[in-house]
Amino acid sequence: MLHDRILVALDKDSSERRSSSGIVIPATAAMGKRLAWAAVVAAGPHVRQVSVGDKVLFDPEDRAEVEVNATDYVLLRERDIHAVAEPEEQDKSTGLYL
């Protein structure tokens, strides 16, 4: 990867959604502008806020798709990322002692 480019793999689970009543909404259903989650596969040397393995939020309309070894990826710039998910902690305890 060069400069501030990031290669991400789309999260397949986020394509279909469920409503609050349990109805499955397919990925092809047209809704308003919706952001998508993806996992970072590779990052260029000038990327400062994201590292490989992070889960990022981006606008799927502003993307360049690329296929590498029969796997589809999305190529983004660091400035196109809206958020980085906080990693889940293995220890789910609250840390409070009573």
Side-chain angles (χ1 to χ4, degrees):
M1 302 302 303
L2 298 174
H3 308 294
D4 66 341
R5 306 290 183 183
I6 299 170
L7 192 67
V8 297
L10 288 175
D11 188 7
K12 298 296 180 188
D13 296 334
S14 67
S15 61
E16 288 187 348
R17 302 176 305 278
R18 287 192 180 269
S19 69
S20 59
S21 61
I23 298 172
V24 176
I25 303 170
T28 56
M31 291 184 71
K33 191 171 184 177
R34 186 172 178 93
L35 301 176
W37 288 100
V40 176
V41 177
H46 297 293
V47 175
R48 294 175 281 155
Q49 303 293 324
V50 180
S51 60
V52 175
D54 286 347
K55 191 172 181 181
V56 296
L57 186 67
F58 71 98
D59 184 4
E61 293 178 7
D62 300 331
R63 66 181 186 182
E65 294 182 7
V66 63
E67 183 178 341
V68 178
N69 294 334
T71 305
D72 292 328
Y73 296 104
V74 177
L75 185 62
L76 301 169
R77 288 189 152 198
E78 185 177 19
R79 67 179 180 211
D80 295 334
I81 293 177
H82 296 279
V84 178
E86 185 174 322
E88 293 183 23
E89 294 181 19
Q90 299 298 331
D91 184 20
K92 297 288 185 180
S93 67
T94 61
L96 299 175
Y97 296 99
L98 299 175

